[in-house]
Structures are given as structure tokens and as C-alpha cells.
Amino acid sequence: MLYDDTEFVQTVQRIIEFLGTFAFAISGIRHAAAKNFDWFGGFVCGVAVAIGGGTIRDVMLGVVPFWMTNPFYLICTALAQVFVIALARSLKKLDNAWFVFDTLGLALFTIAGLQKTLDCGYPFWVAIIMGCITGSAGGVIRDILLNKEPVIFRKEIYAMASIGGGILYWLLGILQVNVGIATFTSFSLICIIRFLAMKYHISLPKLHEE
């Protein structure tokens, strides 16, 4: 069993979801800015990517969606939009800023999905799937709103990084590793996979019609 202190685990979950919301919201708003959306359109994209995956996860787990019990997530998205607007020129100079925020959001929300699913009493293979949905589904919704091909269907490593982090989290649980260490290690692995895949152009094989 990975957890001993329920209160500690819940605190870790809240921190991760808050940080993930901010990171994903920035990613969504940045993509909307690249399409020259107005402020409201940017906020909608930020909300979609920040709470989309978690909402799908909670509905599938049969619990009240996390953002409906605490307004902080919407407030966090609004703060992310203010952050992007205020630092628009600085962020524009960072060509890969959106990629960094997107990767952080993916890693943070994957861990949040894993922990919440396990907390609901589901087996680990379900937790790995829910972690992937939590981390990836918001980006799919964002890309659909922006009329773009969803990133998880491209050659870029995305969902597989989430699954890899989930498998590592499971293995660390078997080894009775502390939840804090397991969280940090799995988070780091997801980020490393994404960064290395981008730097060295690593991708999964493509399907071919013939």
C-alpha cells in the first residue's frame, strides 16, 4: 500500500490539482492567443484544458466533478489569464513556453488522476488509465476548440508519457515507497520523457493504409 496518511495524501492531491490547473490553463490560453482569440475565448480554452480531463475522470468514477465543489479552479484559470496577458511579451520570446507549461500540466494532472482513482478504491490498472485521461483529455478538448488535430494523435509522445509515469507510480507503490517520493519521481519521469522525445524527435511508429 502506498498511502498511510489519508490527510497528507489529500493535501498532496489538492496542491497537485491547483498547480496542474494553473499550468494547463496557461497552456490553453497561450494556444488561444496564437489563434488571436479574444479574452473570453482564451478563458474558455483555459478552462477547457484545465478541468476537461478531470471532469471526465470524475464522471467515470461516479463522483462530483472537482471544480463544482471548489471555485478555486475557475479563479486559478482567471489568474492564469491575467498572468499571460501581463507577461505576453515576455512569454512570446520563449518559443517553447507553451510546451513547458503543457508538459507540467500533463505530469501534474496524471499524478492527480492516479491518486484520486486509488483513493476511490479502484485497482491500479484503472488508476493508470484515469491518470492518462486526466492528463490528456483536456488537451484534446482544447485542440478541438482550436480546430487542430489533437496532440495525442500526432507523432509527438504525449499520452505514452502519462502512461509511463503511471506505471512507475504503480511500481513504487509495490515497493512501499513514500507517497511524496513516488509523486516526485513519477512527475519527473513524465517530464523527462516529453522533453527527450521533443529534443530527439522520438515518436511512435505511424500506421499506414497499405
Side-chain angles (χ1 to χ4, degrees):
M1 191 70 178
L2 191 61
Y3 311 128
D4 293 317
D5 190 338
T6 302
E7 184 177 351
F8 173 72
V9 172
Q10 291 177 344
T11 300
V12 171
Q13 288 175 346
R14 285 193 292 268
I15 293 173
I16 288 174
E17 286 193 337
F18 290 161
L19 292 175
T21 299
F22 191 75
F24 256 179
I26 289 176
S27 171
I29 295 166
R30 285 277 293 157
H31 278 277
K35 287 279 189 175
N36 294 318
F37 281 25
D38 62 18
W39 285 14
F40 179 75
F43 180 77
V44 170
C45 285
V47 169
V49 70
I51 71 173
T55 300
I56 294 174
R57 173 203 65 206
D58 289 348
V59 170
M60 294 180 71
L61 294 177
V63 300
V64 178
F66 65 104
W67 60 271
M68 296 179 69
T69 60
N70 190 337
F72 182 86
Y73 299 98
L74 297 179
I75 295 173
C76 187
T77 302
L79 291 175
Q81 176 141 327
V82 172
F83 176 81
V84 172
I85 293 172
L87 300 178
R89 293 184 178 179
S90 298
L91 291 176
K92 191 174 182 180
K93 297 176 182 178
L94 303 175
D95 293 335
N96 293 322
W98 68 268
F99 176 79
V100 174
F101 287 121
D102 195 60
T103 299
L104 293 176
L106 173 67
L108 290 166
F109 267 26
T110 296
I111 302 300
L114 286 165
Q115 292 179 339
K116 189 163 189 177
T117 305
L118 292 172
D119 197 42
C120 288
Y122 288 89
F124 230 110
W125 63 272
V126 176
I128 293 174
I129 294 173
M130 289 300 170
C132 183
I133 289 174
T134 307
S136 304
V140 173
I141 297 172
R142 173 201 64 205
D143 291 341
I144 291 173
L145 290 174
L146 295 172
N147 196 28
K148 296 171 59 179
E149 180 184 9
V151 67
I152 66 170
F153 299 146
R154 301 179 211 158
K155 64 179 182 178
E156 184 179 314
I157 297 293
Y158 195 83
M160 291 306 299
S162 175
I163 293 173
I167 292 174
L168 177 60
Y169 196 86
W170 169 55
L171 293 175
L172 293 175
I174 293 176
L175 297 174
Q176 301 284 319
V177 175
N178 175 272
V179 63
I181 296 175
T183 296
F184 177 78
T185 305
S186 300
F187 167 85
S188 300
L189 178 65
I190 295 171
C191 292
I192 289 171
I193 290 175
R194 283 278 284 153
F195 291 144
L196 290 179
M198 175 61 72
K199 182 176 180 179
Y200 295 106
H201 306 288
I202 301 172
S203 62
L204 295 175
K206 292 183 179 181
L207 287 173
H208 297 283
E209 186 177 1
E210 298 181 359

